[in-house]
Structure formats: C-alpha cells, structure tokens
Amino acid sequence: MAELNPVLHTPLQHATFHGAGVVMGENLFCAKVIVRGNFDDAQLTSRLSEQAGLPVNVAANTFVENDSAAVFWLGPDERMIYSYAKEPQVLLAELRSVMPAGRSSAVDVSDYYTTIRVGGVNARKVLSAGTPFDVHGSNFPEGSCVQTRFGTASVMLVMQDSSPAFDIQVRWSFAEYVWRYLRRVAEFRTLTPQS
Amino acid sequence: MILINCPYCGERDQTEFACHGEAHIARPTDTASLTDEQWGDYVFFRTNPKGIHYERWVHVHGCRRWFNAVRHTVQDEILATYEVGAPRPDVGGQQ
Amino acid sequence: MSDEREAPNRLPAGGSIDRDRPLSFTFDGKSYSGYAGDTLASALLANGVVLMGRSFKYHRPRGLIAAGSEEPNALMQLEKGDRTEPNTRATCIELYSGLSATSQNRWPSLSFDIGAVNSLVSRFIPAGFYYKTFMWPASMWLTYEKFIRKAAGLGVSPTAPDPDRYENTHAHCEVLVVGAGPAGIAAAAAAAASGARVLLIDEQNEAGGSLLASATGEQEPVRAWIADAVEQLQSNPDVTILKRTTVTGYFDYNYLTALEKVTDHLPPGSDPVAPRQRFWKIRARQVVIAAGAIERPLVFADNDRPGVMLANAVNTYINRYAVLPGRNIVVFTNNDSAYRTALNAANKGAEVVVVDTRREVDNTLVESLKNAGIKHFPGHAIVSVQGKLAVGAVRIMPLSEDGKTVQGQAWELSCDCIANSGGWTPSVHLFSQSGGKLAYRDGIAAFVPDAATVRSVNPCFSAGACNGTFSTTDCLSEGATAGRAAAIAAGFPGSDVQLPASDPASDDRGQGDIHPLWLVPTVHPVGEGAAKHFHDFQNDVTAADIHLAAREGYLSVEHLKRYTTTGMATDQGKTSNLNALAIMADIRGAQIPEVGTTTFRPPYTPVTLGAIAGQETGELFLQVRQTPMHRWHVEHNAVFEDVGDWKRPRYYPLGVEDMHAAVQRECAAVRDRVGILDASTLGKIDIQGEDAAEFLEMIYTNGWKKLAVGGCRYGLMLNEHGMIFDDGVTSRLGEHHFHMTTTTGGAARVLNWLEEWLQTEWPQMNVYCTSVTEQWAVAAINGPRARELLSTLTDIDLSTEAFPFMTTSEGQVAGVPARIYRISFTGELSYEINVPARYGRYLWDTLIEAGKAFDLCPYGTESMHVLRAEKGFIIVGQDTDGTVTPHDVDMSWIVSDKKDDFLGKRSLSRLDTARDGRPQLVGLLTEDPAFVLPEGAHIVSQVLDKPPMPTIGHVTSSYLSPNLGRSIALALLQNGKNRKGDTVQVQLMDGTVINAQVSSTVFVDEKGERARG
C-alpha cells in the first residue's frame, strides 16, 4: 500500500469574519454522539451521567458544559453529548457500553454537524435576520440551547455566554449556506456607518 | 403566522412546524380482513370541519416530535396542543 | 446658493428644514433646489410646481392634496435606469442631492397630455366601463387588454435587475407601539417605564406625529415633553425606535410586518453597505396602535384641480417645511380643525377666506378669524372651481338648511389654493386587520375601533386619533394608559408617567363640532353639468359613479368597490373610503354603519418585493447542500445538477466536450475499467433497537428478519396507497442495528415517515432512528477493476468468497476507519466506501491518486442514470410518479406474500390497484437506433394528422447507451407487460411519430453476473 497521511477537513475551516460588533468562525472539530432512550429510567440517566461526566437529565431547551464535555437537550428521549477530549469512536463505545442493549441507541454524529461561533455586540441582530426564535437575553439566557430554523436550514442555537456569544450547530451539508447567510447579514449590520 | 405551543419545546413560530393532517386516525389491525370500502375509508377519507379540528403536527425544525393540536379552522387559532396518545382535550365547549 | 433666487413659495424663516444644506434635484428634466429636510413634494411646492401628475382614467391635471403617505395624486417615477421606481408618493420621498423624478401617465408632456381627451368623452367611460365594453366577444379580450394596459398604466417598471440590496429580519418585543405622535410616545414611555421590551415604530424621520405640523410656539410644553421622552427612550437598552418605518400588516398571533426605509433618504447607491430597505417580521406580546388619523377631503365640484389640498397638509407645508402653498387661500371646511390652517396661513402673509358649510361656528373661532382679518362665510359651499391646470378662483353659494342644495347669492373668490377639510378619519387599518370590529361614532362622523372586539390571539390597544381621540391632551393620557395596560398584560408591573400639564389655550381640539356634508351640492344635480365630484382621486372615481352603481344595483359596499374601483388604487382609499360609503348610505337612505366598510387589507402602504425577499436572493435564494468533496468537483470542472437541495456533479467535461460526449466517455470507462462517483448525498438513517427488524418488516415490502448481520438488501417502501414512495439498500450492522439508505431527495421524507409511525402508531416498539446522511462521505467505485483499485488502499479481504456481493465490511481504507458496502447501482462490480465526513476529501484525493494506475474516471449523475437505465433499475420519482405499484414496475419479486402486513399491502389488492392493464414499466427500443426519445413523450394508441392523439403511456427515462451503441428508453405503458415485442408509436411535440419496439427493461447483463463477479 502507498504511504498514507490522512488529512482532516471541516466544512468551514477557512471561514472567518471580523466586523464591527461581530466575530464569526467555525469551532474546532469535536466528538458528538446522539443518545436516545428512556430518560425516565433512573438507571440509564445515572450511568450515562457518570460516563459523560455531566448530568444528562437536563431540562428542555438547556445544556450543561464543562471543560471536557457538554450535554444538550434535544427532545424528551434524546440528548447530544459532546466530548472535547475523546475520539469519536471512543466516546461512542463508552456511552454505548452503559446503555441498555436493544432499548436505546447511541450514534456517532461528530461529522454530521459543525458549529459556528457568532459573537459580539451585534451577534443577536445577525441571528435575528435568519431565525424566528427570540434570542434576547430575557428569552434565551446563558445555558439555553434551542433547535430552530436559520434561513431554511434546521439549526441548534446555543447561548454560550452573555458577552454575547452564540454557537450555531448545523449539518455539514448546510454549513456553507448558513455561513454565507450569516456573512451577508453581518455585513449589513456591522459595516453600516453609525448615524 | 401563528404561534404553536410544542408540548416539549414550548411556544414557537409556525414556520418551525409541519401539519400532517387529521389526528386520532388509528391504523386498522388485521388489514387483510377489511373490505375495500373499510380500507378505503382509512386511506382516503378525512373530516373537513368548519370549526374544531384535531390535527397531527410535527416540530420539524425543533425536537422532531409529533404531537396533536386542536385548531379552529375558521379563526385559524390553535386552542390546545397535547401529546400523541393523550385523549382529546376539552377546549371549553368551543365549536 | 445665497445669490440664487429663493423658491417662490418658500417662507423666509421657520420650518424644520436645514437652510444651510441646499439640495438640487430635477423634475421632468428641469432643475430645482430644495433643502435637507424637504420632501420631494414640499420642495416642488416651494418652487411653485403645482401640477404634478395626470389622473389614472381621465388624465386630468393633478397636484398634491396631502403631505403624508395618504397622498393619491403626486405619484412619481423616481430615478432612471435599473433603479427606477414607479408610483412613489412625492410626499414620502425625502429630498436628497441629485434626485431625479418624472411625472407619470402623460404623453407627450405633463401640461399637454393627449390622453386628457378621455376627460371629454368621460360620459362614455363611466363606472363599470371595462366590464361592459370589453365583455364580448371573449376572444377579443387579449386585444383589448393590450390597449387598456397601455392607456391605463401609471408608472413603468424597471427592466434590469434591482442593483440594491435588502434585508429581512425578525424582531420580538413585549409592547409594540405603532406611531410616535403624542399618544404613541406616551404609550412607549409608560410601557418602557415598567421594564417591558418596547419597539416604537414611526413612518416619519422624526418623532412628533401631528405636532410636526404645528406652528412655532404652539403646544410648546407638549413638544418639550416629547423631546425629553424620546431622549429617554433612546437611552433605554430595552427600547428600539425605528424611524422611516411603516407597519404594513397585522397578522395572527400579534405578528406584524414593517418596512424600514434605511437609505432611501440618501442618493441611490451612495451607501455601499447598508441595505436600501429592511423588512421587519415582528412578534409582539401586546400592541398599542397609535397610528393617528387622516384628513378626508370634501367632495365638491371639480375638487381635483391642482391647488385643492387638504387643510392640514397646507398647515404641514407651512409649519414643517416653510412652504406657503398659496397667496390667496380659501379654506373650505365642515369642522373646526381647518381654522388652525386659516390662522397659520394668514399669519404667514396669505390672504385667507374661510368657507364653512356649518351655519353655527364656535364663537372663539369666529373671534379669532375676525382678529386675524380673515373673511368668514358660514353656511356656504364651494359650487365651482375655475382654472384649468391650477386653481384660479371659486364660486361659493349659501347652502340650504338640509345641505342638499345651494341657493341665493353666488360669490366668486379668486384664489390659488383651496385648503379643505371634510373631517378626520381614524386610521383603523391595523386594528381592522387584527380582526377587531369597527363601530361608527356619530359625534366624530367616523368609524373607530370597538375595543370589545379585540381578538384574544391579537391583544392590542388603540390610543389617540386612531381611536377617535383628537385633543393632544387626551391623546397623551390615552396613550399613557394604553402603554401601561399593555405592559401589565405582558406581565410587567404597571408604571405611570408624568405627563405635561394641559394648555387649554393652545390644545388642538381636533375637529370640534363637525357637521358632515358628504357630498357638496352645486346648481346641477350630481352627474349633470360638466363638473366632477371626486372622492377617489387615484382611481378617478366620482360621486356620479356611486350614483350609477346604485342605479345598476351595486348597493353593497363590496360590490360598489369592485364596480367603481373606488379604494382599489395603490393608496387603498385612505382619503376616499368613508366618503364613498357615506354617499352610498345617503343614496340608499341608510345609516352609515348599515352600509359598513370594505375589508382593510395589508399592506397599509406599498411594500417593495425586494424587501420581502431580503437577503434571500442569489446564492441564498434556496438552501444549497454540499458534500465534503464539493471543492474537488468545482476544481475539476464539474457541471452541477440540483438534486433536492444538493449540488451533485452531473458530468465532468474534458476540454471542449459537451454533456453527450462526456457521458459517453464516462459510461464506457465504468463498463470497461473503473469509475468513481460521489455518493455522499444518499440519505442514510441509523436504526437501532430490539424491534428494528420487526419495524423494517412493516416499512418495506420484502422480508428483513432473516437478513444476516453483515448483509445488505434492497427494499421498496410503499405509502398506504400501495404506491412506491422510496427505495434503497439497507444493511444489517448488528442484531439490533441497521443502516438504511434512501434516495438523495427522499432522505428527510423517509426519516419523517419512519418517525411518524414510531411516534404515533407504534410507540411500543423499541426502535430509534437517527439521520446520519452527512456523517459519512461516500465514494462509490464501479467497474471491473474496482477491486484491484481498492486493494491498493485496504487490507480488507476483497475476494468474493470473503466479501460477496450485497454484504458490508468494516476496516481501514487509506488509513482511516471505513465501512464498505458491496452494492451496485450500475450493474458493475462496485464498492461504496463510507468514511467519516472529515476524511471525505482525503479519501477522494487518495482514490484519485491511486486510480491513476487504473485510468480511474470520475463520473456524474448523468452517467449514473444511463448506467442504471441499461440495467433497468428504476429511479423513484422519475420512473415512478406516486401512482405506480411494485407490480407496475415489474418488481413483484420484491413483494413478500409471506408477511401478514406491511405499509401499503392492503392497497395492492384494491380493485383498481390489482386490475390488469394498468400502466406498467417497459423498455423501448426505437426503430432508428440513433434516435433518442425525449423523456415525457407520449405513446399513442392512434396516429392522427396532428396532436393531440389518444395516449396510452409515456417515456420516463431515455438515453443513448454507449455500451449498446444505440438508444434505450423506459416507459410506463398501459398493459405493458403483455405488449413485449409489440411496435408502438411515440408522438413528439411537433406531431412526428416514431416507431419503437416494446422490450424488457434490462438491456445489459440480464443475469446480473458482472456485479457479483
């Protein structure tokens, strides 16, 4: 076999935007697994929480995060688990090992999604051009995550901090579309001469 | 553009949802024993009321859960939403 | 500029214009000068331009009547070339340097317009003229239409694409306040004080509303309070103020739309970044409507002569723009509000006469006229207007007691301006759009919102003039109350605001004791004599037209509207609707509320289509999906095809190759050597759970329980009608774990289908479906040398014994984790290599590099289609159309007869579905092997001289097959199964008929040995 040197690509790896009040770019690749099962089952939630290092029985539209992982609510029987330290196959295998076979599922979606960070004082205005969801702090405080629409793409919006900074999790194939959309509306907002 | 209260995610814009027609239509079991007419009734026939309508919706851009809604077809108002499998809610005698 | 002569009607001082910033502009090619702060209307008026347009139907000369967005006459063609915009209201265009406007609906010139001959023959173009004249014969309509369009057009549309950019965005607030006049500011202040998020929107470029028309010194305490309140609102981070913004529509669940004119006040294209306009989609918890009121004209003889204006508009031009519209002004009114105009105009040096249809007028007003030296004619009416292109004089006569006739001594008053007021019409448009009902209030002779009818899903309050409350003091307190109530209703504690003390001396008391006179009589009965009484200026509708409609039975207000076209122009009848229905009420002897109003529809003012589209144009018009290998395809000259939202390479032309040549080359490469296809777009669904096999048994027509782990199987999905809905290969990765593939375009539909059944019908099943389409990048290598190529990059044993056809294997390919499916859509030896998407581009590059030794050829979807058609593999959605069963496509072999049930099974035995002779999929071989049938061409049962001919089917797929060296086609043909070998006739668009032989659908390798090898 020929000499091999695998190279990793992400959909927006070269994309960055710096404008007055808006900074945007793609976050680093990380492992992501969707787990589904009966989250009323205390045994499942305790074993999964232990494995993830974070509580998985989070409230609707919220997430929890520490330096090495994050858990997002996706639905009553569904969570997304990020690991910032582990390889996707490792995370998947570990989570699967504590879940009841045949009555749950764990699926590697590390490549399925990428996330775009949108930060700066004008970030909310940029997001509001594409989403009907109200991203004002009173409706979308820190620790919130919602699945909604941006343009015509399905996305998950994550309120990272109130500086403000948001993450947009989007499917790989839609990433370029969402990025161009963000860039176009960011240009309207951030470069407008203040009058 | 109405607002819809997803039983799982809360109130969201209508553009996050899709409607899948009339709710509370159970798929017949033992389909082989049905007459063409009985099967046709299940496949083809739906009510089309002026007023209260029980509908199946899905939160496509959100949690991707199916749920049911009571919608007034004249006013285009959602009077209640509820989980699949729950009984039809009382909407205060509205007709 | 100081040495230039000042415009003739410009007052030497006052107004909110900036005299240090003169601006030059052109109208009909002639240069003029105005100031920053002017509108196009005020600048033209300042320059003495009275004639601004020709009317729609009769081409009558027209001038300004208003100063706001209700203006019906002064419609301009703004700018030239690709930025030209028709029907813009001169009153709404803020003047900028270099503005260029032209008048509309006139030829050859504004002052000499040939079309004005219509006015002479107006007796022959009455209401309903088009309906009556152009009805018969129907075949002539197309001819008539061209003529009518040409004659009736207003402005002209641009022909080039709009070079401007627009934005479209969402806003959310607890309290939306529409209007920044006294009521709106008070409402916003009260709501903001309680902590609510407030959005305050106003059409003008500054706050103040009706006060913008007040004279210096008038209502100073209120103006100071408003300035202060605005400053506080601006500094409040929870308040957003949008100026130059019009709320255009009020929809359900307090969803409102607004159009913000971001840079329209600047020279076109001068701001390189900001959008020209921004369209707002607003969701408000509560709405306070403080939209004000619109003055309506009196309907008197020849009341459309340029120089006839609304009284408050005259006031606005004097006070806000420092323009005196006339030197000799006749104020004609039926209410008190116009007296302010009279006094203001006199104060600025105009000769003023007041003609009031009322006999009794408030004594303080009479006194104030006397003190200002203004002549007063109570109980009189204007019976005629002299002058052709502008007002020259009027005749007035005393009115009879009942106001129906005039009698006695006529006076002629020379004048160059008539300031008239028929009273004020509250702007109930938004309230009405919200679903609330209107109530007629006799005391003000107008409809107002009925607060008891507010819809629960559209909670709103009306305050100020739009609620029939006209005094400034009352507007302030009503606004504050509404703002407070709205905040409380939105869940905030109520807060009070300190309002300015009322000043009875200068308070605007509105219209006072109005005496409606809906139609001002002349010496002739209406409709007789040469004079016309216009109520709808923009659509040229007169009182006589209403009488005609009534005579012909169009008594209902909705019929009246459509028959006469009153209220149907771009101004939506803002100044005309109430007058029209009041005149109809009078004819019917009915009360105005009995006649009712027509429906108020959005938009309130015209909305640019570009603003509605916003940023979603060009590359953002539709979402576009790309695979991890997309850039490689771009770099290698791929021609793309849209499949669903995906961009897929259709073919890769080399040099000057066209599609035909490229496809022939690519197909031959796959059959002779090896080709590579980006198959990443195929839908992929991960299915896990102990009931997964059971679930697939219900979803697919064939059996799944016995599929071994590591096995792949093709499946067809039917809907409950028994019709083919999607297809694909599903593989068993574990006892309770499947990997399903779907068509590229059907992925989302299939996942929804699976989830719907699981969530609504079979919740007891332990099955979880997760989309993994983008998780995997897929390179499909096809062709006799595929195994050799792949073996250079993997240690997986690729021998047929170890890795047979229709199985899957996991391992490393090119040093990255991969799953390979040995399945084939071309009929060739084929491996579909799946790697995590982050390695997709790397895998592809590595395969291309390794493939050089095998002359590997990248191929696109067009070649894929040809290759699969040679094998008779269907494409769902191309060879099927939702009316096709598995039996119809000769795939009965995949329909299990062992299973009790699966989705759609029962429908397959329905009478119609099971009958013989249905359209069935067949192959077609044309007599002329070089001729490629067009897809969609019909197979006919009888050949006639020309189309249409009776059809018995149609071609679904058709290609030139490079491997057979002839054309092949698939077709749905009635009773096709029994026609194999028959010759059928296929009709082309031009009526030519081609002979073709019905054949099997499989054209190459009927036994399927190549894929298994």
Side-chain angles (χ1 to χ4, degrees):
Chain A
M1 280 197 309
E3 192 162 318
L4 299 165
N5 187 17
V7 185
L8 178 150
H9 292 266
T10 55
L12 298 170
Q13 57 196 13
H14 301 300
T16 55
F17 181 93
H18 292 264
V22 179
V23 178
M24 304 191 296
E26 187 185 36
N27 290 342
L28 288 177
F29 175 83
C30 72
K32 310 173 193 78
V33 170
I34 288 178
V35 290
R36 294 187 68 179
N38 178 8
F39 285 86
D40 295 330
D41 173 356
Q43 199 186 352
L44 171 70
T45 55
S46 72
R47 294 175 74 178
L48 259 184
S49 300
E50 198 180 328
Q51 187 56 249
L54 284 165
V56 298
N57 42 353
V58 287
N61 302 320
T62 68
F63 74 103
V64 288
E65 188 174 35
N66 60 25
D67 285 347
S68 58
V71 175
F72 303 85
W73 183 92
L74 297 183
D77 68 348
E78 190 169 7
R79 304 288 184 273
M80 169 87 75
I81 298 177
Y82 280 15
S83 171
Y84 305 122
K86 292 170 184 160
E87 282 295 311
Q89 311 95 297
V90 175
L91 177 67
L92 178 68
E94 285 180 1
L95 293 171
R96 208 172 255 170
S97 70
V98 300
M99 298 177 73
R103 282 174 288 118
S104 61
S105 82
V107 181
D108 178 9
V109 290
S110 308
D111 304 69
Y112 188 82
Y113 293 108
T114 190
T115 54
I116 302 167
R117 174 67 56 92
V118 182
V121 292
N122 283 322
R124 284 197 180 88
K125 289 179 177 173
V126 169
L127 291 184
S128 291
T131 179
F133 185 79
D134 180 5
V135 294
H136 188 263
S138 62
N139 190 58
F140 195 46
E142 274 185 63
S144 302
C145 65
V146 294
Q147 297 159 90
T148 179
R149 180 174 68 73
F150 188 86
T152 49
S154 290
V155 296
M156 179 166 72
L157 298 180
V158 181
M159 201 330 163
Q160 281 293 352
D161 68 63
S162 54
S163 62
F166 301 90
D167 280 343
I168 304 179
Q169 180 193 269
V170 58
R171 291 167 71 168
W172 178 304
S173 67
F174 290 101
E176 181 75 26
Y177 161 76
V178 167
W179 176 259
R180 288 178 185 184
Y181 199 116
L182 286 165
R183 199 179 52 199
R184 192 181 290 185
V185 292
E187 282 169 357
F188 284 146
R189 293 290 177 175
T190 61
L191 304 177
T192 303
Q194 298 298 310
S195 57
Chain B
M1 207 65 75
I2 66 177
L3 288 171
I4 297 173
N5 188 33
C6 167
Y8 307 102
C9 300
E11 200 168 66
R12 297 290 184 85
D13 194 90
Q14 182 186 344
T15 57
E16 292 186 10
F17 298 87
C19 182
H20 281 234
E22 189 175 358
H24 299 289
I25 296 195
R27 185 174 194 271
T29 51
D30 196 13
T31 54
S33 69
L34 299 182
T35 64
D36 272 10
E37 191 178 348
Q38 287 168 322
W39 177 253
D41 191 50
Y42 156 70
V43 173
F44 298 114
F45 289 88
R46 296 293 182 270
T47 62
N48 183 22
K50 179 179 180 182
I52 300 293
H53 193 221
Y54 296 85
E55 297 172 340
R56 181 181 284 177
W57 286 75
V58 57
H59 194 183
V60 275
H61 286 294
C63 62
R64 304 185 38 77
R65 285 323 95 160
W66 265 256
F67 61 90
N68 291 335
V70 190
R71 190 173 65 91
H72 196 287
T73 60
V74 179
Q75 291 150 225
D76 196 20
E77 288 175 20
I78 304 262
L79 304 174
T81 53
Y82 54 106
E83 294 183 16
V84 169
R88 293 169 201 244
D90 179 12
V91 288
Q94 288 230 36
Q95 279 308 312
Chain C
M1 288 306 279
S2 55
D3 50 57
E4 275 189 35
R5 204 158 51 86
E6 182 60 281
N9 289 345
R10 184 76 75 183
L11 292 165
S16 49
I17 49 169
D18 183 353
R19 289 174 201 260
D20 294 331
R21 287 177 57 209
L23 302 170
S24 63
F25 68 101
T26 65
F27 174 61
D28 279 347
K30 197 174 162 202
S31 291
Y32 297 95
S33 181
Y35 293 113
D38 262 324
T39 62
L40 174 57
S42 68
L44 284 171
L45 203 57
N47 283 283
V49 177
V50 177
L51 178 61
M52 295 197 193
R54 286 279 177 172
S55 74
F56 177 63
K57 197 157 95 179
Y58 303 124
H59 292 250
R60 283 168 71 107
R62 290 284 166 81
L64 284 171
I65 75 160
S69 60
E70 71 274 26
E71 172 61 38
N73 283 341
L75 301 186
M76 301 287 170
Q77 186 83 32
L78 189 65
E79 298 303 332
K80 296 189 171 73
D82 51 9
R83 281 201 164 88
T84 193
E85 186 176 357
N87 304 337
T88 59
R89 290 146 293 160
T91 51
C92 299
I93 300 164
E94 291 182 48
L95 197 65
Y96 51 81
S97 173
L99 181 150
S100 153
T102 44
S103 55
Q104 300 183 157
N105 205 30
R106 83 289 187 272
W107 186 84
S109 78
L110 187 53
S111 54
F112 179 72
D113 173 21
I114 296 263
V117 71
N118 281 0
S119 199
L120 304 178
V121 297
S122 67
R123 109 173 23 255
F124 306 111
I125 40 176
F129 168 70
Y130 297 131
Y131 300 128
K132 290 169 182 166
T133 310
F134 299 112
M135 279 299 264
W136 297 280
S139 61
M140 278 298 284
W141 172 246
L142 290 177
T143 311
Y144 294 143
E145 190 185 12
K146 280 186 199 119
F147 163 76
I148 293 167
R149 295 274 174 231
K150 192 165 155 57
L154 283 169
V156 294
S157 302
T159 51
D162 189 340
D164 284 312
R165 294 165 318 129
Y166 301 84
E167 192 186 20
N168 178 320
T169 192
H170 300 86
H172 303 264
C173 60
E174 274 93 35
V175 179
L176 168 66
V177 179
V178 183
I185 296 288
S194 70
R197 214 176 351 152
V198 174
L199 180 56
L200 172 64
I201 295 185
D202 192 86
E203 205 170 36
Q204 297 291 327
N205 58 8
E206 57 181 320
S210 60
L211 295 184
L212 294 172
S214 58
T216 318
E218 255 180 332
Q219 313 209 63
E220 280 303 340
V222 180
R223 293 163 76 166
W225 182 86
I226 284 187
D228 187 50
V230 169
E231 207 175 293
Q232 282 188 37
L233 289 169
Q234 276 166 342
S235 64
N236 184 333
D238 288 327
V239 176
T240 305
I241 302 177
L242 297 178
K243 55 186 182 180
R244 299 188 173 99
T245 306
T246 307
V247 176
T248 55
Y250 195 141
F251 304 91
D252 287 352
Y253 289 68
N254 269 0
Y255 181 82
L256 294 94
T257 56
L259 181 71
E260 180 186 8
K261 298 188 171 178
V262 185
T263 60
D264 275 1
H265 60 294
L266 304 173
S270 61
D271 188 318
V273 175
R276 179 186 165 218
Q277 297 177 349
R278 184 176 285 131
F279 190 67
W280 291 84
K281 295 172 280 189
I282 302 158
R283 189 74 75 172
R285 289 278 156 212
Q286 299 285 325
V287 177
V288 176
I289 307 170
I294 292 171
E295 196 167 23
R296 58 180 178 267
L298 285 163
V299 182
F300 58 96
D302 292 335
N303 58 339
D304 66 328
R305 201 67 79 222
V308 179
M309 298 171 71
L310 290 167
N312 192 60
V314 171
N315 214 30
T316 302
Y317 287 113
I318 294 172
N319 293 326
R320 187 172 178 191
Y321 302 108
V323 175
L324 188 59
R327 301 285 147 184
N328 294 288
I329 300 178
V330 171
V331 174
F332 182 31
T333 184
N334 65 357
N335 69 88
D336 289 358
S337 71
Y339 283 73
R340 282 206 306 161
T341 305
L343 294 166
N344 261 321
N347 186 35
K348 301 293 183 196
E351 291 286 330
V352 181
V353 174
V354 173
V355 178
D356 196 325
T357 61
R358 301 173 296 179
R359 295 181 172 208
E360 306 290 334
V361 178
D362 184 274
N363 209 37
T364 55
L365 291 176
V366 177
E367 282 300 311
S368 60
L369 292 190
K370 197 178 285 175
N371 294 340
I374 298 171
K375 279 206 195 87
H376 192 210
F377 291 90
H380 277 66
I382 292 178
V383 295
S384 72
V385 175
Q386 271 75 54
K388 263 209 154 95
L389 294 179
V391 171
V394 294
R395 285 204 187 125
I396 64 171
M397 282 175 74
L399 276 164
S400 65
E401 184 106 37
D402 64 359
K404 299 267 187 212
T405 55
V406 284
Q407 58 213 357
Q409 175 66 50
W411 297 79
E412 181 155 311
L413 308 171
S414 61
C415 59
D416 51 4
C417 176
I418 299 171
N420 79 112
S421 176
W424 289 80
T425 308
S427 293
V428 296
H429 308 71
L430 292 177
F431 179 79
S432 181
Q433 288 172 23
S434 82
K437 302 271 182 289
L438 304 177
Y440 189 75
R441 194 184 295 168
D442 275 318
I444 61 167
F447 285 95
V448 292
D450 180 354
T453 64
V454 169
R455 280 180 65 198
S456 62
V457 294
N458 286 340
C460 67
F461 300 84
S462 292
C466 72
N467 198 35
T469 302
F470 295 124
S471 115
T472 306
T473 307
D474 294 346
C475 285
L476 285 168
S477 64
E478 197 170 286
T481 305
R484 184 175 188 276
I488 291 171
F492 290 81
S495 268
D496 288 313
V497 285
Q498 189 71 43
L499 297 174
S502 84
D503 172 14
S506 80
D507 190 17
D508 171 8
R509 287 174 305 159
Q511 52 190 21
D513 182 22
I514 184 173
H515 286 195
L517 181 66
W518 301 107
L519 178 58
V520 179
T522 67
V523 291
H524 300 290
V526 72
E528 293 178 24
K532 287 186 183 302
H533 297 65
F534 285 92
H535 64 277
D536 184 325
F537 296 94
Q538 201 172 96
N539 259 355
D540 260 359
V541 192
T542 68
D545 292 327
I546 300 177
H547 279 265
L548 176 67
R551 281 199 302 278
E552 298 192 349
Y554 298 92
L555 296 169
S556 135
V557 66
E558 296 289 356
H559 289 158
L560 167 71
K561 169 178 168 173
R562 282 155 188 84
Y563 193 62
T564 63
T565 72
T566 186
M568 288 171 70
T570 65
D571 68 343
Q572 301 249 306
K574 287 186 180 63
T575 54
S576 66
N577 281 344
L578 187 56
N579 279 336
L581 62 97
I583 292 168
M584 178 56 92
D586 193 47
I587 295 168
R588 286 168 50 180
Q591 298 299 306
I592 288 171
E594 289 174 52
V595 175
T597 63
T598 52
T599 310
F600 292 88
R601 289 196 176 83
Y604 176 72
T605 49
V607 179
T608 316
L609 288 174
I612 296 175
Q615 61 274 10
E616 294 182 352
T617 60
E619 66 179 13
L620 300 181
F621 178 68
L622 254 187
Q623 57 191 19
V624 168
R625 302 176 68 182
Q626 299 178 356
T627 75
M629 290 80 114
H630 184 82
R631 280 177 209 282
W632 189 93
H633 307 318
V634 173
E635 289 157 13
H636 290 81
N637 205 26
V639 174
F640 287 92
E641 176 182 32
D642 292 335
V643 183
D645 299 321
W646 291 94
K647 291 284 174 200
R648 298 196 71 179
R650 191 172 187 193
Y651 57 99
Y652 300 85
L654 287 179
V656 297
E657 269 182 344
D658 61 5
M659 182 171 87
H660 173 75
V663 167
Q664 296 296 301
R665 175 178 51 75
E666 291 173 11
C667 288
V670 173
R671 293 264 185 254
D672 297 343
R673 306 188 305 274
V674 59
I676 183 168
L677 174 84
D678 181 357
S680 306
T681 62
L682 275 191
K684 306 172 200 74
I685 300 169
D686 181 279
I687 302 174
Q688 296 182 33
E690 60 197 7
D691 300 318
E694 193 75 35
F695 177 61
L696 294 179
E697 292 268 312
M698 284 302 291
I699 294 295
Y700 283 123
T701 60
N702 48 349
W704 290 84
K705 285 185 186 162
K706 290 183 185 153
L707 179 64
V709 171
C712 309
R713 186 165 289 176
Y714 174 79
L716 269 188
M717 286 182 202
L718 309 186
N719 59 24
E720 286 282 59
H721 298 189
M723 304 303 161
I724 295 172
F725 154 74
D726 207 88
D727 69 347
V729 171
T730 290
S731 308
R732 192 164 203 165
L733 305 183
E735 179 62 21
H736 302 314
H737 191 181
F738 290 83
H739 177 86
M740 175 185 280
T741 64
T742 73
T743 59
T744 293
R749 194 166 56 231
V750 170
L751 182 62
N752 275 346
W753 176 248
L754 303 183
E755 283 284 358
E756 184 165 14
W757 286 106
L758 284 173
Q759 291 184 35
T760 66
E761 202 68 31
W762 307 318
Q764 77 287 355
M765 277 192 171
N766 265 314
V767 180
Y768 296 98
C769 302
T770 306
S771 168
V772 288
T773 300
E774 283 100 322
Q775 174 63 24
W776 302 101
V778 183
I781 52 172
N782 280 260
R785 303 194 72 183
R787 182 180 288 122
E788 282 177 82
L789 166 58
L790 184 54
S791 66
T792 66
L793 294 171
T794 185
D795 293 333
I796 298 173
D797 184 350
L798 299 175
S799 68
T800 290
E801 299 70 42
F803 192 175
F805 183 53
M806 295 307 276
T807 63
T808 174
S809 185
E810 219 173 351
Q812 297 264 315
V813 172
V816 297
R819 178 169 279 286
I820 304 171
Y821 298 88
R822 193 179 159 195
I823 57 182
S824 177
F825 194 43
T826 57
E828 294 300 322
L829 173 63
S830 165
Y831 298 94
E832 297 197 354
I833 308 160
N834 287 236
V835 296
R838 63 187 183 278
Y839 296 121
R841 175 66 195 265
Y842 159 75
L843 172 75
W844 186 271
D845 286 342
T846 309
L847 281 166
I848 293 288
E849 190 56 36
K852 283 179 179 164
F854 304 92
D855 207 3
L856 175 69
C857 176
Y859 67 98
T861 51
E862 192 64 24
S863 297
M864 178 187 82
H865 284 183
V866 176
L867 293 164
R868 67 87 204 178
E870 289 177 344
K871 287 290 298 171
F873 295 153
I874 61 163
I875 289 187
V876 172
Q878 176 164 342
D879 301 302
T880 72
D881 60 4
T883 67
V884 177
T885 70
H887 303 301
D888 295 339
V889 291
D890 209 5
M891 289 173 75
S892 303
W893 55 270
I894 205 173
V895 181
S896 164
D897 50 13
K898 297 194 184 77
K899 292 196 286 183
D900 289 340
D901 199 5
F902 55 81
L903 297 178
K905 177 180 166 72
R906 177 62 186 82
S907 281
L908 295 178
S909 58
R910 283 181 58 242
L911 207 56
D912 181 64
T913 325
R915 74 181 158 84
D916 291 331
R918 286 173 58 86
Q920 290 150 350
L921 195 73
V922 295
L924 287 184
L925 294 169
T926 49
E927 260 176 16
D928 171 2
F931 188 84
V932 182
L933 291 167
E935 287 173 358
H938 278 256
I939 306 164
V940 298
S941 60
Q942 193 185 356
V943 175
L944 304 175
D945 290 346
K946 58 175 188 177
M949 302 177 207
T951 179
I952 51 172
H954 66 277
V955 176
T956 59
S957 294
S958 178
Y959 310 95
L960 191 62
S961 160
N963 298 298
L964 295 170
R966 60 153 301 135
S967 71
I968 56 171
L970 298 173
L972 283 167
L973 173 64
Q974 279 175 27
N975 197 26
K977 274 181 203 168
N978 297 319
R979 292 191 199 239
K980 302 261 166 78
D982 289 2
T983 295
V984 291
Q985 284 73 43
V986 183
Q987 178 219 308
L988 308 184
M989 287 288 277
D990 63 2
T992 318
V993 172
I994 302 290
N995 286 330
Q997 193 181 51
V998 180
S999 72
S1000 152
T1001 55
V1002 185
F1003 301 98
V1004 166
D1005 185 23
E1006 193 139 4
K1007 290 184 180 158
E1009 285 162 345
R1010 299 173 69 105
R1012 297 170 193 281

